[in-house]
Amino acid sequence: MKLEIASYFCRQTVLLAAALTTALPFTAAAQLNRDVAPYETTAPGTSAPSYSVTASAPGDNVSATFLLKDGKPFYTVDYKNKKVVNASGMGFELFNAPDLLDGFVVEGKELSSHDDTWQPVWGENSSIRNHYNELLVKLRQPSTDRRLDIRFRIYDDGVGFRYEFPQQQTMPYIVVKEEKTQFAMTGDHTAWWIPGDYDTQEYDYTESRLSEIGNRFKNAVSYNASQTTFSPTSVQTSLQMKTDDGLYINLHEAALVDYSAMHLNLNDSTLIFQSWLTPDAQGRKGYLQAPTQSPWRTVMVSDDARDMLRSDLILNLNEPCIYEDTSWIKPVKYMGVWWEMITGKSTWAYTSDLPSVRLGETDYTKVKPNGRHGANNENVKRYIDFAAKHGFDQLLVEGWNIGWEDWVGHSKDYVFDFVTPYPDFDIDKLNRYAHDKGIKLMMHHETSSSARNYERHLQAAYDLMDRYGYNAVKSGYVGDILPRGEHHYGQWMNNHYLYAVKEAAKHHIMVNAHEAVRPTGLCRTYPNLVGNESARGTEFHAMGGSKVNHTTILPFTRLQGGPMDYTPGLFVMDISEINPNNKSHANVTLANQLGLYVTMYSPLQMAADLPENYEKFPDAFQFIKDVAVDWDKSLYLEAEPGRYITAARKAKGTDDWFIGNTTGTEPHTSVISLDFLDPDRKYEAVIYADAKNADYHTNPQAYTISRKKVDSKTRLKLKTVPGGGFAISIRPVK
Amino acid sequence: MKLEIASYFCRQTVLLAAALTTALPFTAAAQLNRDVAPYETTAPGTSAPSYSVTASAPGDNVSATFLLKDGKPFYTVDYKNKKVVNASGMGFELFNAPDLLDGFVVEGKELSSHDDTWQPVWGENSSIRNHYNELLVKLRQPSTDRRLDIRFRIYDDGVGFRYEFPQQQTMPYIVVKEEKTQFAMTGDHTAWWIPGDYDTQEYDYTESRLSEIGNRFKNAVSYNASQTTFSPTSVQTSLQMKTDDGLYINLHEAALVDYSAMHLNLNDSTLIFQSWLTPDAQGRKGYLQAPTQSPWRTVMVSDDARDMLRSDLILNLNEPCIYEDTSWIKPVKYMGVWWEMITGKSTWAYTSDLPSVRLGETDYTKVKPNGRHGANNENVKRYIDFAAKHGFDQLLVEGWNIGWEDWVGHSKDYVFDFVTPYPDFDIDKLNRYAHDKGIKLMMHHETSSSARNYERHLQAAYDLMDRYGYNAVKSGYVGDILPRGEHHYGQWMNNHYLYAVKEAAKHHIMVNAHEAVRPTGLCRTYPNLVGNESARGTEFHAMGGSKVNHTTILPFTRLQGGPMDYTPGLFVMDISEINPNNKSHANVTLANQLGLYVTMYSPLQMAADLPENYEKFPDAFQFIKDVAVDWDKSLYLEAEPGRYITAARKAKGTDDWFIGNTTGTEPHTSVISLDFLDPDRKYEAVIYADAKNADYHTNPQAYTISRKKVDSKTRLKLKTVPGGGFAISIRPVK
């Protein structure tokens, strides 16, 4: 990565309006009097704010206003002169200290502007512009002589703001009882939401009005190995909404570092969301030391749904890459000895004879193998042969290490050692075999959420990877957290996930952490964090299925914070074909699965299905082989949450383009102009589409492949079925 | 250490009596009917037990009886045909599983005997006999098909028993809600107790009747940086008691591994103690995986108080040493750059200018030093010179590493890195300087109870020690535990303390952990655990003082589990002489302080006071220089808890003997026969005693030194004052 230190140049032309309402006209004052929404225990006031200041985005469509009213801080967000966020309270409830909610005076403000362009190590685009105007409001609480700053950054596609705690004798440490940031909605918007939960994000999305969340919450909660809901009107971020007048609004956070993840809890009569941080084992929500700051709270807004997907706001609000050398970080296309275990065809465990195992005591050379262990030498070699033959970079092997016999659900501390292979997995030979064929094995570290145990073995585990030539690890946090009482998304574990990423970087190891906290753009700062799960992935198609339109929502929500290891590529949807005992069915068409390699941006893309399933459809498999995993440019051609997404991307350093579509519960017709192609070149397109008779449930493998000469003047018309999609490769004719 | 694998030879002559009361006469049945004390919610039953079995010690004075009555397990302990523990319930309350309290049947029993002798790496005696009879009772709960074994070992000085969970399909994992082991006392004994607390043991002892504990509890609780009391009738182990008819009874535990430390909670009407384990952050008390076992619960008993001190029962109940090579473990006599900080004369911190510091960000080379930093090069050199000149092995230096400015009380996670010295501490030069003078520096790792942070830095910290030639570390756990909600004595932290010891062993490092869990004899298995604090140490004399008779109790209680880094050797009792702002006064005489080097057995002995204070009394200091720290043989000549202890020890590999006395609140006259001396040799004794006008408060430095020719026929008569004592060195005349 080319590291560009952000250059803050304060242009005097920045569009900012500051006003003391006692002295100056204040445009939002009348509006505020109607909209002001203080803490719910307080009736909305009617007095004018004592202070307000508005800052607008460079393009002027978006603005944020800070207000101080009766000593209480508020903010609003506007888009094209429409209110997006009504006056919303800000501040903190603290433990063992007076709250930071009221009694404030404004001591000063700072206005500035910023415009630079940076190059990500990997990403949807090879360069990213970071262009915003900034407003820093300096508050003081005279009764306690404590200072709290609030920094706003206003972009053309939304607003980020955060709390900053300056170093001060009166508040060196802060124990957060609750962050009290409101997001006051202006109407009963349609939302695509998953239930608020301290331990899992692996839920299907529910589309409903905000006011319906409470009624539909219970049905939205499905089983997970670790889950802790806390309020029936709570949702997770990123939350995508749409207003009745066609505004798309997205709430999330950026740069979640050493802080608890934020949920949003709705008062469904006032339609005000209130921040609800993830607690620790004692119910406390944060331990901070000044100088420090909260993550950015983000409000993205546009009247074009595609802007939600195009936005770089979350990445831009994160700090630049901290690594000097990033040459070792590379996008990866991979297969895995994995789907056969997920479907139940084979097992992670080596034996089925023991009620429990104890690492270092259980002698695996003396137990009876169950005969179904997936990660055995012969099977792994078969996968290596296939993956190498078809040009994959890596092969993930799960279940290679001892401990899987009783790995989950027992709150077991010393569950894995991350270094000892099962007797039938020859780590040395298999790595050499893979390397000889030009691919790498991908490491797997399931931690069973025993975080201390993982940290104790982390260096030895990374050393083993160094020794055998692994450069990427998929880690997992299935089950309840140890230390017990902590949650997946609390400060303690968020600190852990980042620790593992930073330690991995010292070994030039890339990390793809499953069941970790939802990403918030930290991959900009730590680009060896090449992936996360943090949502309901493809695996659920082998565990009862996911909603048909799931992948038309994920890019609006989960992917806002960073790439997802979604693991697309199912070619056999009737899971009983793999394991007769598994009656699950994937609610997708084969063409849909191809389209996801383009619509679901990730530098880490898996071909999830079994080699033998790909061998049944070699023509369709060709797309997976061809599609790139790193890009110069990305375009969102069509998008509507829950309905469809069509993306086009130019492969890095080439003139090859790939287009993908995913379609929700309704059939869709895409009309696509290829005007993004080089007007001076001719191309050949290969189009992988749903066949007319395709049906995600009864006929998912019905697809067509057609070839077509195209150029920048071509318009394509493509029809998809529910749960369907299409994929197109477009390459210049030589 | 010479490792002797315990040889179990089952002698058929073992004194065991097994009886089915329906079929056989049962001696304890009548007794039981009166004494039976089931769980407190149940009224004592009157029916006869359905099963009982009694096992006696090799010497026949002590016996333990297991009883099953209405499906409930009980035990009793007898000494010389007197009941020591009345019928007391046993078992567990579990989470998410039926309790293991009743509905049992006896499936079998195993009787055996054991007699061997082992050699500790260091200790009070160069060899230790482990001689006991054993009874294993195998219980099954038919309703759940679960098995629970109870193993008793009966020694001549007491009984140990533990629960064993065999591997079984019906109970692979156990989550403990509470262990329900009772210790039903036979009367309102006098006890020397400290309040039950999950986080500190640093209390003064209260002497009272059992029935008075509740009334005196509140007064017994003094301030500590981390403390969590939970019941006003709770006490800690080891608990020393004395009955009205002169029996000494001690309750403790042995081999506390991966389990929560046990407190005892008294029902002061029934006089039954109930086990009360330390909870985790969620209030649960243990996570076990079968096969496993509880620690041993121990009942020591004798009609001679000295037997309490002589007993090796706790050590014997621990596993043999697990290290092949123990040549690197050596007793240590040391001084420290420490007392000057404890008294407030100097500081651990380098600067006083910052409200908080952040490791890696705070630039210590640019802050203003406070001018009072103890661990500066010049001062450390001064200590090295003094300690080397007077033959000490090591010099502890605290406050050498960055982070002390805000180290405690802020729940700070990244509080120390354990590798970065302050600018005025030249770690390389100072170690070389010390080594050139023939001594080592002793490392200090205060963790501030941030256990994860310590584990993250542990390897680098030990590597640093290796690099500079440190072979011993004093570690500390001041303040509330991180992970927050965990306690100092819970399973989570007990696992941590032992982890640190085992990792240290890989580096040939000896560990002396302060504020860690009370020792339970683990130093037998892990002899690099050379010390613990785990009680109110000498430091409290500079923080308001401790009770006058404190050191006459500690050997009966705290020292049962292993050595204490008590840090004796105060020569200046008026602390204001060191720091005019500190008005504390040590409630001891100088002669008492000398005596402690013998009465408080430890392989790690500090001379706590400042060099300049020792220089004022060079003749008395001679005893500290002379006294050994490792022994061939130890004798307890006199002992009465809270009153006096007189011990004699033969220095390892020599014919030198050292005698020490510590005296409580009443003056004492010791009449000592030296009949333990070699009858064929003549000796010279140097006697350091309280002067007639000595007074711990007004004239503590009044001592006499006399020399005397002695032999095995000599009898010495020595008078001590309250808080006083004496010390004698006896060396053969060449």
Side-chain angles (χ1 to χ4, degrees), chain A residues 163-217:
Chain A
Y163 303 95
E164 298 182 356
F165 301 85
Q167 188 161 46
Q168 51 196 306
Q169 292 286 355
T170 47
M171 188 168 58
Y173 304 92
I174 304 106
V175 184
V176 177
K177 196 166 173 184
E178 189 59 277
E179 181 185 322
K180 299 297 247 183
T181 301
Q182 295 182 332
F183 301 85
M185 297 295 97
T186 59
D188 192 8
H189 309 328
T190 298
W192 291 264
W193 57 273
I194 54 174
D197 195 302
Y198 298 148
D199 286 297
T200 187
Q201 295 144 191
E202 297 181 352
Y203 291 125
D204 257 322
Y205 284 90
T206 298
E207 177 181 324
S208 82
R209 294 278 178 178
L210 294 178
S211 60
E212 296 168 337
I213 291 173
N215 284 337
R216 300 185 61 176
F217 189 89

Side-chain angles (χ1 to χ4, degrees), chain A residues 533-608:
Chain A
E533 188 182 41
S534 309
R536 191 175 177 92
T538 295
E539 64 186 4
F540 279 87
H541 281 307
M543 300 189 273
S546 291
K547 286 188 179 174
V548 172
N549 68 350
H550 190 53
T551 56
T552 66
I553 304 167
L554 284 174
F556 284 95
T557 54
R558 162 63 184 78
L559 267 58
Q560 294 292 1
M564 176 172 177
D565 185 29
Y566 183 72
T567 72
L570 299 194
F571 276 20
V572 169
M573 319 309 168
D574 179 355
I575 306 302
S576 70
E577 287 184 31
I578 298 169
N579 171 16
N581 297 320
N582 188 332
K583 305 302 182 197
S584 294
H585 194 286
N587 299 323
V588 292
T589 70
L590 194 152
N592 166 279
Q593 291 292 293
L594 299 182
L596 297 184
Y597 288 91
V598 187
T599 60
M600 297 282 286
Y601 167 70
S602 175
L604 195 70
Q605 287 288 18
M606 187 184 207

Side-chain angles (χ1 to χ4, degrees), chain A residues 32 62 137 151 394 407-408 466 478 485 508 520 551 557 564 656 674 705 733:
Chain A
L32 175 76
V62 176
V137 180
R151 189 183 298 272
Q394 302 208 3
W407 69 284
V408 70
D466 294 343
V478 174
H508 286 191
T520 55
T551 56
T557 54
M564 176 172 177
D656 299 347
L674 303 186
I705 300 179
V733 177

Side-chain angles (χ1 to χ4, degrees), chain B residues 439-505:
Chain B
I439 73 169
K440 285 180 184 289
L441 296 189
M442 185 183 288
M443 179 47 77
H444 184 234
H445 291 166
E446 174 55 50
T447 69
S448 196
S449 291
S450 185
R452 175 172 72 178
N453 183 59
Y454 189 38
E455 292 198 11
R456 285 181 177 176
H457 293 89
L458 201 58
Q459 293 310 324
Y462 288 157
D463 286 345
L464 184 96
M465 290 177 64
D466 293 343
R467 190 154 65 252
Y468 291 110
Y470 293 87
N471 74 342
V473 59
K474 173 183 172 181
S475 58
Y477 295 87
V478 174
D480 290 340
I481 297 293
L482 280 76
R484 300 178 187 99
E486 292 295 334
H487 293 291
H488 280 75
Y489 311 141
Q491 185 180 12
W492 186 266
M493 286 303 295
N494 292 345
N495 179 300
H496 164 84
Y497 305 131
L498 193 52
Y499 174 75
V501 169
K502 290 195 277 190
E503 291 299 308

Side-chain angles (χ1 to χ4, degrees), chain B residues 401-569:
Chain B
N401 57 324
I402 62 171
W404 284 91
E405 284 68 22
D406 60 351
W407 69 285
V408 69
H410 305 299
S411 201
K412 189 173 170 180
D413 193 328
Y414 184 22
V415 57
F416 290 113
D417 70 5
F418 310 97
V419 296
T420 308
Y422 278 126
D424 59 347
F425 183 86
D426 188 327
I427 188 168
D428 181 37
K429 271 196 189 157
L430 288 170
N431 276 283
R432 282 193 280 117
Y433 187 81
H435 299 166
D436 286 348
K437 298 218 164 191
I439 73 169
K440 285 180 184 289
L441 296 189
M442 185 183 288
M443 179 47 77
H444 184 234
H445 291 166
E446 174 55 50
T447 69
S448 196
S449 291
S450 185
R452 175 172 72 178
N453 183 59
Y454 189 38
E455 292 198 11
R456 285 181 177 176
H457 293 89
L458 201 58
Q459 293 310 324
Y462 288 157
D463 286 345
L464 184 96
M465 290 177 64
D466 293 343
R467 190 154 65 252
Y468 291 110
Y470 293 87
N471 74 342
V473 59
K474 173 183 172 181
S475 58
Y477 295 87
V478 174
D480 290 340
I481 297 293
L482 280 76
R484 300 178 187 99
E486 292 295 334
H487 293 291
H488 280 75
Y489 311 141
Q491 185 180 12
W492 186 266
M493 286 303 295
N494 292 345
N495 179 300
H496 164 84
Y497 305 131
L498 193 52
Y499 174 75
V501 169
K502 290 195 277 190
E503 291 299 308
K506 296 177 185 168
H507 295 258
H508 286 189
I509 288 170
M510 298 183 280
V511 175
N512 163 26
H514 282 223
E515 297 91 19
V517 70
R518 44 191 159 282
T520 56
L522 289 176
C523 57
R524 178 182 178 187
T525 314
Y526 308 96
N528 66 317
L529 178 58
V530 290
N532 278 116
E533 187 183 41
S534 308
R536 191 176 179 91
T538 295
E539 62 186 4
F540 280 86
H541 281 307
M543 300 189 274
S546 292
K547 286 188 180 173
V548 172
N549 68 350
H550 190 53
T551 56
T552 67
I553 303 167
L554 285 173
F556 284 95
T557 55
R558 162 63 185 77
L559 266 58
Q560 294 292 1
M564 176 171 178
D565 185 28
Y566 183 72
T567 72

